[in-house]
Amino acid sequence: MTETLLDRHRDRLDAAVAACASRAYFSAFDESPSPRVYGESAAADGKAAFEAWLGREFPLTTPGAVGGVSTERSPFGFDLDVSYPRAVDVDALVSAASAGMRAWRDAGPDGRTGVCLEILSQLHTRIFELANAVQHTSGQAFVMAFQAGGAHALDRALEAIAYAWTEMTRTPATALWEKPGRGEPLRMEKTFTVVPRGVALVIGCNTFPTWNSWPGLFASLVTGNPVVVKPHPAAVLPLAITVQVCQQVLSEAGFDPNLVTLAAEEADDHLAATLAVRPEVRLIDFTGGNAFGDWLEEHARQAVVFTEKAGVNTVVIDSTSDFAAMCQNLAFSFSLYSGQMCTAPQNVYLPAAGVSTEDGVKSPAEVAAGIDAALGRLLGDDARAVELLGGIVSDDVLARLDAASARGDVLVASRTVTHPAYDAATVRTPTLLRLTAEDSDVYEAECFGPVAYLIETGGTEESIALFRDTVQAHGAMTAAVYSTSDDVVADMREAALDAGVALSENLLGGVFVNQSAAYSDFHGTGANPAANASYTDGAYVASRFRVVQSRRHV
Amino acid sequence: MTETLLDRHRDRLDAAVAACASRAYFSAFDESPSPRVYGESAAADGKAAFEAWLGREFPLTTPGAVGGVSTERSPFGFDLDVSYPRAVDVDALVSAASAGMRAWRDAGPDGRTGVCLEILSQLHTRIFELANAVQHTSGQAFVMAFQAGGAHALDRALEAIAYAWTEMTRTPATALWEKPGRGEPLRMEKTFTVVPRGVALVIGCNTFPTWNSWPGLFASLVTGNPVVVKPHPAAVLPLAITVQVCQQVLSEAGFDPNLVTLAAEEADDHLAATLAVRPEVRLIDFTGGNAFGDWLEEHARQAVVFTEKAGVNTVVIDSTSDFAAMCQNLAFSFSLYSGQMCTAPQNVYLPAAGVSTEDGVKSPAEVAAGIDAALGRLLGDDARAVELLGGIVSDDVLARLDAASARGDVLVASRTVTHPAYDAATVRTPTLLRLTAEDSDVYEAECFGPVAYLIETGGTEESIALFRDTVQAHGAMTAAVYSTSDDVVADMREAALDAGVALSENLLGGVFVNQSAAYSDFHGTGANPAANASYTDGAYVASRFRVVQSRRHV
């Protein structure tokens, strides 16, 4: 049965493995929500499937659960009112999670990989339902929720499975060892078995409930570990659907459905902290703020902890050959999902004396005006604006945005946008503030949300130095440079290697610094304080299992 | 230059990479000290080279060193009286270690791999000198010192380099990414750079100064990290020679010799603890006792810590088809290097009712008598005995041996052996004590040295349960089973998977449970408390570096 599942998805696995090795473009899940791709009724059916959950008890059983929780409100202005089992008895949950571990281990790498690939294709059949669930928990606009929360999340999950499968199968299941000697050679048959580490905990975030949770979930599951999924209280539904699909496929394949469980909580239950220090929990994947991420790294000593936290993403502007395209590209990056991305740029360093362009030197004020104009083109029409901005995910983000204007001269003010379809939606355009190199107390901290800083420096050399120092100290997920000088780009590359952050150079077209492509772009490096892991490299999967051998003479 | 070095050793690298994938027999360094292999004068020249160090200052400069230390005494009964720079100023040491890191990073995976492979072949030219140094620090007999401390250590080092090279090169240095779109495809060129984690610390042990230090040393060095080598005060010379060769090859290749430094200390300097918590130190490899290993895992939070600690290695005897061969095989494993191996068996569980053999049922007393007879054959003649036993490495081991007899009925007593060549050598034969399943306070702790326990149980089922529980709680590097029943072997395999320990089945010939073969046998699993890492798997190398990318339109 499980062997058949691997056969069924073998081409997809092989293509993903090949793409990870070549880093060339690949996608196994179409990112276009067009009816031509997914069929005429797919969008409406998915929306209906999502709406059918509203106001209902989600049909999942969580071992040790007592009562229910209903904690989700759409940033577009309505309560989801879906209720989920409230995980209370952690002993019962962890022991139920562990119960099916041996049979799952004995399924072997191919068996588990087949099951996980089948889960991905079942999730794919519910991509429109998932997109609606992501939209109304994260606040992402629909198309972004479909792409980042659906197709791209599936690609990141497949990437993690491909890496784990490669890692598990690099050691053969059996080997013949024959050592030549004086007389008869010594002959031994050896057996190598992949064994799990223990229970895995995945701690989801509010902004990217699937994209940031699936890589860890599937990397741990495919390597043999049961997974307890602890969603953010404001973004449960996308992961409830995920767990439902995992359990259905596991059951159909003859495995214990509790190998994947949903651990929902009230916001103040501190369930993640309780689970994270359980001796049975040996793997933790976390996406979220530095405070709890650092706490996990400090206290969950019995587990291998993979964290993606916060940082200050940086752009260094030295010069450009296309001023308008640069402003347009940056304006898009500030606007996309209202800058509520761990990859969105925040600190833009440029010389106070201005940047040279194809149209002469532009002063910081002129650069700000150029970005403002580009924002106007992108966001001037509310109906189009909301499809790029989406909604503000939380009151915290709104409060940070409101407080930001006090921190510097406002170059571009944030504007409240009225959503044509959801009048109670919370939608804001990004603000751009003027700072100088002296304002390190402001720009050295992440201000998650639609806030960016235009920071005037003594020159590009100082800009690069500030970039290097700030990222080494406070971390970053992304960096970008605009320069027509090969020397400046080379210096920036060197600084990015020192700071351990991915660099995008002179983005003037349809690629944006906050986007990373599965199989080709690593998301996070593990080399600066913003994250201790990367989607996806060998280090992300290799320590999720162990190999135990036996040997005998033949 | 460095490119040439990889070309020079390319075949050796490719063969090692292939062997790691097939787990078939491979060795790149001949384990036979025979003149037919190494030349007529090799043995004498190596011994002379070793003796030339005695009473001298070893010619190494360690940044920040003040004065010298001379801390080594041969278990064969004489002081080495070699002096080494005493590492005192840790700031100076760490900053000197870091100075060459960027140039080393820029050499790239192939450049660094070529240098490390050249280091191995230069170490190989000094294998007899190294063997003498290992013999007179660890107390291993010469042939074992030549094999375990020379040829096999070189193979383990090559294995680590092969794994690291595979891991570093699985991501291409550059890639072309082309995403199809409505009009022109999006085209980007991407650059991927392997960057080091930081300074690596290798903490050596007394019994296997090269075999246990080289894998971590070369895994960290080849991935771009400077390495500070902190030898055990009683086993400095083998690592001083190692560092000397590393520095010579690095210099000749145009790199900073301080990329590998020797940090020698007085026994009470606590240098390892000081270095281990330095913020610059990001990788630590440790072999030694549980107390300090656990301390490192607990306190060196800024670093990735790889530990090999202690455990209780176990043999379960159920039945055998060749009683004499079983006793002979066990007796050899107890005697080899006086049981001073992290892989030597300690706990032998067998049914109080006896074990069935080709010659009827043998009671525990008869099994003990059989082992005693085998020990007599192996160790009856002092001149032959010392070549198997070697010397007792430390007074601690001697004290444990003397104290052991009080813990159970002595089935086989330890005997003092007079070394024909070194009359001040400390040589002892192993002792075998009778215990029962009730004596868990004794057999649940490691008694490192020539002490083994014959533990009577209610039957094989209890033996296997005790094995599983003891190893899960206290760890083990090895396990073995003797049984003619397929069911019992299957149960033992299952228990070994649960306990996370490698299993050897029915060893009756020229393979012994305490031996592990590079490229084929994993040493340690990381799946039980005895070690959190394995020589060598992907997890051992993947987190020693990071990949940082840059991208641009083309």
Side-chain angles (χ1 to χ4, degrees):
Chain A
M1 169 55 187
T2 51
E3 191 53 28
T4 326
L5 288 176
L6 182 60
D7 299 342
R8 185 185 304 170
H9 301 293
R10 187 61 199 239
D11 293 350
R12 173 172 283 175
L13 175 66
D14 292 343
V17 168
C20 292
S22 71
R23 315 306 293 181
Y25 172 80
F26 174 67
S27 174
F29 306 94
D30 200 306
E31 69 179 7
S32 162
S34 153
R36 287 184 306 282
V37 177
Y38 285 94
E40 288 305 326
S41 67
D45 296 348
K47 193 165 195 296
F50 162 72
E51 286 166 349
W53 295 123
L54 304 182
R56 280 191 45 209
E57 282 189 14
F58 195 90
L60 269 179
T61 346
T62 295
V66 178
V69 292
S70 184
T71 50
E72 298 164 293
R73 177 174 175 79
S74 172
F76 295 94
F78 57 92
D79 293 332
L80 270 59
D81 195 25
V82 186
S83 104
Y84 310 92
R86 181 182 189 173
V88 172
D89 181 346
V90 168
D91 290 331
L93 174 57
V94 168
S95 98
S98 312
M101 187 155 49
R102 180 174 296 188
W104 188 233
R105 175 196 78 193
D106 293 344
D110 288 357
R112 290 189 301 269
T113 301
V115 169
C116 289
L117 292 173
E118 176 63 19
I119 292 170
L120 294 195
S121 57
Q122 292 302 321
L123 286 168
H124 192 207
T125 65
R126 296 174 69 172
I127 188 169
F128 280 92
E129 176 188 359
L130 282 160
N132 280 274
V134 169
Q135 173 180 7
H136 290 294
T137 49
S138 70
Q140 292 174 28
F142 177 77
V143 171
M144 179 175 175
F146 183 92
Q147 295 183 333
H152 300 167
L154 285 164
D155 274 322
R156 282 289 182 194
L158 175 57
E159 175 188 58
I161 291 167
Y163 262 87
W165 182 83
T166 300
E167 195 65 35
M168 289 189 288
T169 54
R170 70 190 290 180
T171 302
T174 60
L176 180 68
W177 180 84
E178 187 168 307
K179 180 179 184 178
R182 286 200 202 76
E184 271 294 281
L186 288 169
R187 275 198 199 84
M188 302 201 87
E189 172 196 76
K190 303 186 180 188
T191 304
F192 302 96
T193 304
V194 170
V195 301
R197 295 298 297 271
V199 175
L201 172 65
V202 173
I203 303 169
C205 65
N206 194 356
T207 48
F208 290 88
T210 52
W211 195 92
N212 274 112
S213 297
W214 286 356
L217 192 172
F218 288 101
S220 285
L221 185 62
V222 77
T223 50
N225 308 280
V227 182
V228 176
V229 179
K230 208 298 290 177
H232 189 288
V236 184
L237 185 56
L239 289 174
I241 294 168
T242 303
V243 171
Q244 184 182 52
V245 170
C246 290
Q247 294 191 343
Q248 283 165 354
V249 174
L250 283 163
S251 296
E252 286 159 17
F255 298 100
D256 187 335
N258 286 330
L259 285 166
V260 181
T261 50
L262 183 75
E265 62 172 339
E266 293 291 353
D268 55 3
D269 282 355
H270 305 297
L271 182 58
T274 305
L275 285 164
V277 295
R278 291 283 305 202
E280 303 89 341
V281 172
R282 304 302 310 282
L283 295 164
I284 299 176
D285 287 87
F286 168 79
T287 310
N290 295 57
F292 190 57
D294 295 341
W295 184 92
L296 285 169
E297 293 175 22
E298 177 67 28
H299 292 88
R301 310 303 323 289
Q302 83 293 349
V304 184
V305 179
F306 301 90
T307 58
E308 183 193 309
K309 297 171 290 185
V312 283
N313 301 320
T314 301
V315 181
V316 168
I317 303 180
D318 169 70
S319 53
T320 182
S321 60
D322 189 335
F323 182 68
M326 176 184 79
C327 292
Q328 188 74 15
N329 191 279
L330 288 171
F332 186 94
S333 286
F334 296 142
S335 303
L336 183 63
Y337 187 30
S338 312
Q340 299 169 121
M341 302 176 69
C342 59
T343 53
Q346 172 182 300
N347 292 356
V348 182
Y349 298 103
L350 79 176
V355 303
S356 72
T357 76
E358 79 281 14
D359 187 26
V361 172
K362 303 279 190 183
S363 70
E366 291 173 296
V367 172
I371 292 171
D372 193 15
L375 288 168
R377 282 187 296 276
L378 285 168
L379 309 174
D381 169 54
D382 284 359
R384 282 180 49 239
V386 296
E387 298 310 326
L388 183 57
L389 294 167
I392 298 300
V393 67
S394 71
D395 295 344
D396 293 351
V397 174
L398 206 56
R400 272 195 297 271
L401 171 60
D402 295 342
S405 55
R407 298 209 204 92
D409 314 338
V410 176
L411 297 167
V412 178
S414 175
R415 179 172 74 82
T416 297
V417 175
T418 307
H419 198 295
Y422 302 97
D423 48 15
T426 310
V427 185
R428 299 286 187 277
T429 65
T431 184
L432 186 64
L433 302 175
R434 175 183 174 278
L435 300 175
T436 72
E438 282 61 51
D439 301 314
S440 56
D441 56 320
V442 177
Y443 63 71
E444 282 187 352
E446 183 192 47
C447 184
F448 187 80
V451 177
Y453 305 127
L454 203 61
I455 304 163
E456 297 179 20
T457 70
T460 295
E461 201 172 314
E462 185 185 12
S463 298
I464 293 176
L466 287 171
F467 156 64
R468 177 192 272 111
D469 298 346
T470 307
V471 173
Q472 281 179 337
H474 306 286
M477 300 298 292
T478 64
V481 60
Y482 287 93
S483 179
T484 56
S485 156
D486 293 344
D487 292 347
V488 167
V489 171
D491 292 347
M492 189 67 182
R493 272 183 213 170
E494 192 64 30
L497 291 180
D498 294 343
V501 63
L503 177 67
S504 295
E505 300 165 9
N506 295 310
L507 296 183
L508 297 170
V511 174
F512 304 95
V513 67
N514 25 359
Q515 298 174 325
S516 80
Y519 319 103
S520 184
D521 294 319
F522 291 103
H523 174 74
T525 63
N528 73 59
N532 77 355
S534 176
Y535 303 165
T536 293
D537 61 11
Y540 190 69
V541 297
S543 59
R544 293 181 192 257
F545 66 92
R546 296 301 190 184
V547 175
V548 174
Q549 73 175 70
S550 57
R551 60 181 184 177
R552 63 208 63 89
H553 283 287
V554 283
Chain B
M1 168 59 185
T2 52
E3 190 53 29
T4 328
L5 289 177
L6 182 60
D7 298 342
R8 184 185 305 170
H9 301 293
R10 186 62 199 236
D11 293 349
R12 173 172 283 173
L13 176 65
D14 292 344
V17 168
C20 293
S22 70
R23 313 308 292 183
Y25 172 80
F26 173 67
S27 173
F29 306 95
D30 200 306
E31 69 179 7
S32 162
S34 153
R36 286 185 307 284
V37 177
Y38 284 93
E40 287 306 327
S41 67
D45 296 348
K47 191 165 197 294
F50 162 73
E51 286 166 347
W53 295 124
L54 304 183
R56 281 190 45 207
E57 283 189 12
F58 196 89
L60 269 180
T61 359
T62 294
V66 178
V69 293
S70 185
T71 50
E72 299 164 292
R73 175 174 176 79
S74 171
F76 295 93
F78 58 91
D79 293 333
L80 270 59
D81 194 26
V82 187
S83 102
Y84 311 91
R86 181 182 189 174
V88 172
D89 181 345
V90 168
D91 291 331
L93 175 57
V94 169
S95 95
S98 311
M101 187 156 46
R102 180 174 298 191
W104 187 234
R105 176 195 78 195
D106 293 343
D110 288 356
R112 289 189 301 270
T113 301
V115 168
C116 289
L117 292 173
E118 176 64 17
I119 292 170
L120 294 195
S121 62
Q122 293 301 320
L123 285 168
H124 193 207
T125 65
R126 296 173 68 172
I127 188 168
F128 281 90
E129 177 188 358
L130 282 160
N132 280 274
V134 169
Q135 173 180 8
H136 289 293
T137 49
S138 69
Q140 292 174 29
F142 177 77
V143 171
M144 179 175 176
F146 183 93
Q147 295 184 333
H152 299 168
L154 285 164
D155 273 322
R156 282 289 181 193
L158 175 57
E159 175 188 58
I161 292 168
Y163 262 87
W165 183 84
T166 300
E167 196 66 35
M168 290 189 287
T169 55
R170 71 190 290 181
T171 301
T174 61
L176 180 68
W177 181 85
E178 188 168 305
K179 182 180 182 178
R182 285 199 204 78
E184 271 295 280
L186 289 169
R187 275 197 201 85
M188 301 201 87
E189 173 196 73
K190 303 185 181 188
T191 305
F192 302 95
T193 304
V194 170
V195 302
R197 295 298 298 270
V199 174
L201 171 65
V202 173
I203 303 169
C205 65
N206 193 357
T207 48
F208 290 90
T210 53
W211 195 92
N212 274 111
S213 297
W214 286 357
L217 192 172
F218 288 101
S220 286
L221 185 63
V222 77
T223 49
N225 308 281
V227 182
V228 175
V229 179
K230 209 298 289 176
H232 190 288
V236 184
L237 185 56
L239 290 175
I241 294 168
T242 303
V243 170
Q244 183 182 54
V245 170
C246 290
Q247 294 191 342
Q248 283 163 354
V249 174
L250 284 163
S251 296
E252 286 159 15
F255 298 100
D256 187 335
N258 286 329
L259 285 166
V260 182
T261 50
L262 182 76
E265 63 173 337
E266 293 290 353
D268 55 2
D269 282 355
H270 305 297
L271 182 57
T274 305
L275 284 165
V277 295
R278 291 283 304 203
E280 304 89 339
V281 171
R282 305 301 309 282
L283 295 163
I284 299 175
D285 288 87
F286 167 78
T287 310
N290 295 54
F292 191 56
D294 295 343
W295 185 92
L296 285 170
E297 292 174 20
E298 177 68 28
H299 292 88
R301 309 303 322 288
Q302 83 293 350
V304 183
V305 179
F306 302 89
T307 58
E308 183 192 309
K309 298 171 290 186
V312 282
N313 300 320
T314 301
V315 181
V316 168
I317 303 181
D318 169 71
S319 53
T320 182
S321 59
D322 189 334
F323 181 68
M326 179 185 77
C327 293
Q328 188 73 15
N329 191 279
L330 287 171
F332 186 95
S333 286
F334 296 141
S335 304
L336 183 62
Y337 186 30
S338 312
Q340 299 169 120
M341 303 175 70
C342 58
T343 53
Q346 172 182 299
N347 292 357
V348 181
Y349 298 103
L350 79 175
V355 302
S356 72
T357 75
E358 79 281 13
D359 188 24
V361 172
K362 302 281 190 183
S363 70
E366 291 172 297
V367 172
I371 294 171
D372 192 13
L375 288 168
R377 283 189 295 277
L378 285 168
L379 309 174
D381 169 55
D382 283 0
R384 282 180 50 239
V386 295
E387 298 310 326
L388 182 56
L389 294 167
I392 297 300
V393 68
S394 70
D395 295 343
D396 293 351
V397 173
L398 207 56
R400 272 195 297 270
L401 171 60
D402 296 341
S405 56
R407 298 209 204 90
D409 314 338
V410 175
L411 296 167
V412 178
S414 176
R415 177 172 75 83
T416 299
V417 175
T418 306
H419 197 296
Y422 302 98
D423 46 15
T426 310
V427 185
R428 301 287 187 276
T429 65
T431 184
L432 186 64
L433 302 175
R434 176 184 174 276
L435 300 175
T436 73
E438 282 62 51
D439 300 315
S440 56
D441 56 321
V442 177
Y443 62 72
E444 283 187 350
E446 183 192 47
C447 183
F448 187 80
V451 177
Y453 305 126
L454 203 61
I455 304 163
E456 297 178 19
T457 70
T460 295
E461 203 172 313
E462 186 184 11
S463 298
I464 294 176
L466 286 171
F467 155 65
R468 177 192 270 111
D469 298 346
T470 306
V471 174
Q472 283 180 335
H474 306 286
M477 299 299 292
T478 64
V481 62
Y482 287 93
S483 180
T484 56
S485 155
D486 294 344
D487 292 347
V488 167
V489 170
D491 291 348
M492 190 66 183
R493 273 183 212 170
E494 192 64 31
L497 291 180
D498 294 343
V501 62
L503 178 66
S504 296
E505 301 166 9
N506 294 311
L507 296 183
L508 297 170
V511 174
F512 305 94
V513 67
N514 25 359
Q515 298 173 324
S516 79
Y519 317 104
S520 184
D521 294 319
F522 292 102
H523 174 75
T525 63
N528 73 58
N532 77 355
S534 175
Y535 303 165
T536 292
D537 61 9
Y540 190 69
V541 297
S543 59
R544 293 181 192 256
F545 66 91
R546 295 301 190 185
V547 176
V548 175
Q549 73 175 70
S550 58
R551 60 181 184 176
R552 61 207 65 88
H553 283 288
V554 283

